[in-house]
Amino acid sequence: MIEAKHIEKSFFLTKAKEGRFASLRTLFSREQREVKAVHDISFSIDRGEFVGYIGPNGAGKSTTIKMLAGILHPSQGEIRIGGYSPQRERIQVASQIGVVFGQRTQLWWDLPVRDSFEILQAMYKINDKAYRRSMEAYQELLDLHEFLDTPVRKLSLGQRMRADLAAALLHDPPVLFLDEPTIGLDVVAKTRIRAFLKEVNQTQKKTILLTTHDMDDIEQLCNRIIVINHGKKMMDTSLVDLRRQIGLPSLIRIEFRQPPEKLYDLEGIKRMELAENVLSIYFDKGKISSPRILAEVAGWGEPLDIQMKEPGIEEIIRLIYR
Amino acid sequence: MFALYRKLIAASIRSQMQYKINFVTSAATTGMIMVLDFIILSAILYRFHDVVGWNIYEVGMLYGISSASVSLYRLFAPEINDFEKYIVQGELDQLLIRPVSPLLLLLTRNLDLSRVGGVVQGMSVLVVSLSGLAAEGKSIMGLVLFSPIAILSGGVIYFSIGLATAGVAFWTHQMKDMLTFTIYAPANASNYPIGLYPNWLKWLFFSAIPIAYMNYLPMLTLLGKGGAWFYPILTPVAAAIAFYFARMLWNVGIRHYHSTGS
């Protein structure tokens, strides 16, 4: 469904001039610096896969998605979406894909949500029957009716994201590109978006490529993970394999009134560190739940404060390198 | 295609109407600036009577066509003139994921209705000039018939220059400075007979920034100033050629679009 062969993207950054006629002098300047945002990346994604595309900031995630979506032209290499090239056959590819950028809405800012949907219907030439069918399905799954007549600028972030998702799916594209769809959302909104994405992936067999910084997104949604760093592919593996290789450790940090006298080992706990009266427990969420740990640890002393930390993407990169 | 254009334009007008006060004040300001502009020009002309052999009504023809044309461009293509933000802030992204030409989407994102004032002002100057010429006993039939062609062609020429500038901005990431050279200064220059200017500037206005074809060249013929019979035909032809090359440059530019990191 999605095919990328040895794609590269280099940017030539011209050093911007300052002062009088800056733009003209910049145009004719020869001082250029080549930056390789994406370097020889290949992958192939089948229909119905849910792939997490992860890496630290500036790794080239967005650049890759933008090349797949036909926004940017790769400097080298070939891309196929459903058999079409996003560069040479952009229009065909556009009707095959739905794109959501978490940071920026695709909706008409000052108009009611409904108006955006109607404009998109005309733009994608969706016939009335299919349009009604999509609207009914997504209204139910995303509760759109709550804010269908509200101007987009007045929506909460969570509502806006729901509207954006429905808008991206309106023309029933087989492929979805989601760039940080849960960024900035609260837990409730995140859970809701995830449930929706899972549903769409499983019942409609949509192929989804998702970038995120949230490891919960990855754990709950993706069955495959591609890790990139500095524009290069570092790893392409299933979630199960990733967990086996590096374990995706979650962290609980507990501050006790008195340092506990004895630490007991539990199934699923990978490592414990005690510094004065603060105990750090690294554990595998797949094997033991945090409430189990807390229940257990409460017997070791009197907890004053509890902090939970999910492994960040940087942590994972570090573990892969190790 | 046309149905979609109408729908998108209607949407952007509805969006603008959300900010009614802003709309009214900006229309009023634009109108006032343009009136002031013309008063200054008339004052100069009354003082000197003619400019290199062109009397006030003849210059009025040049001025009216240029003014209406540039306003027409600013009315329909404000997002081209303001294209820098699409490149610098990566806003072009959202236009490139749609199964429609990004140019169509750009042109429908916004209409600068406050420029209607400029179009009306330009046409009023034309009407005054035409009646002045008629009073001098000149035949104005050809001029009346040609004026709409000149205004439309002029609009296309300005649009093409704007589009080409936007195309170059894919490399420079900067457009506002360039517009001074490619649109604003030439628009002022074309209010007067091009014959006034030094040769290199004349060359420029007949080639890279082809504003001479919009009013000066056809007026040489239609006002009986020694132009060849086919000069007026060159007006729409030049507009078409300019548009063709501007599109080409724009299409090459889009391939160099960098977007922004998210």
Side-chain angles (χ1 to χ4, degrees):
Chain A
M1 200 77 223
I2 305 173
E3 199 85 46
K5 285 194 196 122
H6 305 290
I7 51 171
E8 296 209 15
K9 181 73 188 173
S10 348
F11 295 123
F12 287 95
L13 295 183
T14 308
K15 259 176 87 183
K17 304 264 183 183
E18 281 169 17
R20 216 184 264 257
F21 307 135
S23 64
L24 279 177
R25 286 194 297 129
T26 306
L27 178 61
F28 295 110
S29 161
R30 287 275 143 252
E31 284 176 59
Q32 289 193 325
R33 189 160 59 89
E34 189 180 357
V35 179
K36 276 208 166 123
V38 169
H39 188 78
D40 195 19
I41 284 183
S42 303
F43 52 77
S44 163
I45 296 172
D46 291 330
R47 178 161 184 260
E49 281 197 89
F50 202 136
V51 180
Y53 196 66
I54 61 178
N57 286 332
K61 299 184 301 270
S62 291
T63 305
T64 312
I65 289 217
K66 283 173 186 172
M67 284 193 280
L68 296 177
I71 295 170
L72 297 177
H73 287 247
S75 326
Q76 298 264 319
E78 271 296 317
I79 299 172
R80 285 279 179 284
I81 308 287
Y84 294 109
S85 157
Q87 280 67 48
R88 286 186 301 279
E89 296 144 309
R90 194 184 64 79
I91 305 272
Q92 281 93 326
V93 169
S95 49
Q96 302 247 342
I97 61 172
V99 185
V100 173
F101 295 112
Q103 314 260 34
R104 189 177 280 162
T105 183
Q106 328 271 329
L107 304 169
W108 277 253
W109 190 243
D110 290 312
L111 299 182
V113 176
R114 189 192 298 278
D115 290 26
S116 289
F117 289 155
E118 279 166 10
I119 293 168
L120 290 172
Q121 184 197 359
M123 205 183 274
Y124 286 90
K125 303 189 180 75
I126 306 167
N127 67 46
D128 287 337
K129 216 175 120 201
Y131 176 74
R132 267 200 307 275
R133 193 154 17 94
S134 291
M135 283 302 281
E136 273 165 29
Y138 298 130
Q139 277 201 37
E140 186 157 330
L141 284 169
L142 294 165
D143 280 332
L144 296 183
H145 57 88
E146 289 172 12
F147 49 83
L148 213 46
D149 295 305
T150 313
V152 175
R153 70 185 136 91
K154 291 189 180 154
L155 298 184
S156 74
L157 194 55
Q159 290 174 328
R160 206 212 79 202
M161 190 51 65
R162 272 143 69 195
D164 255 315
L165 276 171
L169 284 161
L170 205 61
H171 57 290
D172 199 21
V175 177
L176 264 185
F177 295 124
L178 310 172
D179 196 0
E180 308 257 9
T182 55
I183 197 163
L185 299 184
D186 61 48
V187 184
V188 180
K190 275 184 182 169
T191 312
R192 171 160 218 166
I193 299 279
R194 284 185 198 128
F196 173 74
L197 292 176
K198 198 158 205 153
E199 168 84 16
V200 169
N201 173 244
Q202 284 172 356
T203 59
Q204 303 181 18
K205 289 278 162 284
K206 302 235 183 265
T207 311
I208 306 183
L209 184 71
L210 162 117
T211 75
T212 184
H213 273 93
D214 189 327
M215 281 316 288
D216 284 338
D217 284 351
I218 303 280
E219 285 206 62
Q220 291 173 30
L221 294 172
C222 304
N223 38 40
R224 176 176 162 196
I225 288 153
I226 299 175
V227 182
I228 69 164
N229 195 15
H230 300 304
K232 288 187 188 140
K233 191 165 93 172
M234 295 176 58
M235 188 179 241
D236 185 346
T237 181
S238 69
L239 184 66
V240 183
D241 278 342
L242 181 71
R243 200 176 266 131
R244 202 163 46 220
Q245 283 177 41
I246 60 170
L248 297 180
S250 303
L251 167 65
I252 294 188
R253 196 167 275 153
I254 304 153
E255 189 187 344
F256 289 98
R257 187 175 295 281
Q258 301 287 322
E261 286 169 10
K262 192 167 186 313
L263 305 176
Y264 301 88
D265 208 8
L266 284 173
E267 168 76 25
I269 290 189
K270 300 177 80 78
R271 193 167 91 235
M272 288 192 275
E273 282 162 12
L274 186 63
E276 308 229 346
N277 50 354
V278 177
L279 176 67
S280 302
I281 303 177
Y282 295 88
F283 66 103
D284 185 343
K285 239 179 162 179
K287 294 205 181 107
I288 186 167
S289 70
S290 34
R292 271 277 332 265
I293 295 182
L294 289 178
E296 198 65 41
V297 166
W300 301 354
E302 189 188 335
L304 289 179
D305 192 20
I306 297 166
Q307 275 184 358
M308 309 259 273
K309 260 198 172 146
E310 289 306 315
I313 215 75
E314 285 73 16
E315 171 82 0
I316 290 185
I317 300 277
R318 196 176 59 77
L319 287 167
I320 294 171
Y321 269 125
R322 198 179 55 186
Chain B
M1 182 86 156
F2 186 66
L4 180 62
Y5 178 82
R6 246 183 20 208
K7 199 164 192 116
L8 288 165
I9 281 286
S12 57
I13 292 176
R14 254 178 300 148
S15 299
Q16 275 185 46
M17 289 307 158
Q18 305 258 328
Y19 308 97
K20 287 191 194 76
I21 298 181
N22 184 18
F23 166 73
V24 172
T25 47
S26 71
T29 335
T30 316
M32 260 156 61
I33 291 173
M34 299 214 57
V35 168
L36 198 67
D37 204 29
F38 185 62
I39 291 174
I40 293 170
L41 179 73
S42 334
I44 294 171
L45 282 171
Y46 271 114
R47 178 81 180 73
F48 294 104
H49 299 291
D50 74 271
V51 179
V52 286
W54 295 59
N55 71 24
I56 181 164
Y57 301 121
E58 290 168 334
V59 175
M61 289 303 295
L62 298 178
Y63 182 93
I65 290 171
S66 176
S67 183
S69 298
V70 79
S71 299
L72 202 63
Y73 155 67
R74 299 292 296 269
L75 167 64
F76 284 104
E79 299 303 283
I80 297 288
N81 211 64
D82 210 10
F83 189 66
E84 191 176 306
K85 68 170 189 236
Y86 286 88
I87 293 180
V88 174
Q89 295 164 27
E91 279 184 34
L92 191 62
D93 288 8
Q94 18 185 338
L95 308 189
L96 286 170
I97 59 168
R98 303 293 183 206
V100 182
S101 143
L103 205 50
L104 175 78
L105 292 176
L106 264 181
L107 291 178
T108 52
R109 294 262 292 195
N110 200 358
L111 280 187
D112 187 353
L113 295 175
S114 64
R115 300 286 169 181
V116 172
V119 178
V120 173
Q121 183 249 30
M123 292 206 219
S124 317
V125 173
L126 279 181
V127 171
V128 171
S129 303
L130 284 167
S131 48
L133 288 168
E136 288 174 357
K138 293 215 169 104
S139 147
I140 58 163
M141 200 54 200
L143 289 170
V144 171
L145 290 176
F146 184 73
S147 294
I149 301 174
I151 293 171
L152 286 177
S153 304
V156 172
I157 288 173
Y158 280 120
F159 174 74
S160 307
I161 298 171
L163 189 63
T165 313
V168 172
F170 281 108
W171 284 275
T172 57
H173 298 254
Q174 231 280 21
M175 183 169 175
K176 287 187 181 130
D177 280 4
M178 284 193 290
L179 282 175
T180 310
F181 292 96
T182 59
I183 298 262
Y184 307 139
N188 271 332
S190 68
N191 290 336
Y192 307 93
I194 302 286
L196 194 69
Y197 303 116
N199 276 329
W200 66 272
L201 211 52
K202 265 186 245 169
W203 263 103
L204 193 64
F205 292 151
F206 276 102
S207 55
I209 302 174
I211 50 160
Y213 298 95
M214 163 184 74
N215 53 5
Y216 176 69
L217 199 66
M219 285 306 137
L220 285 180
T221 306
L222 296 171
L223 292 173
K225 294 189 176 294
W229 62 272
F230 59 86
Y231 282 1
I233 302 171
L234 293 180
T235 303
V237 171
I241 294 173
F243 179 66
Y244 175 80
F245 281 111
R247 274 264 342 228
M248 224 161 71
L249 188 58
W250 162 264
N251 285 335
V252 177
I254 272 195
R255 299 180 56 97
H256 282 81
Y257 174 53
H258 283 187
S259 188
T260 47
S262 73

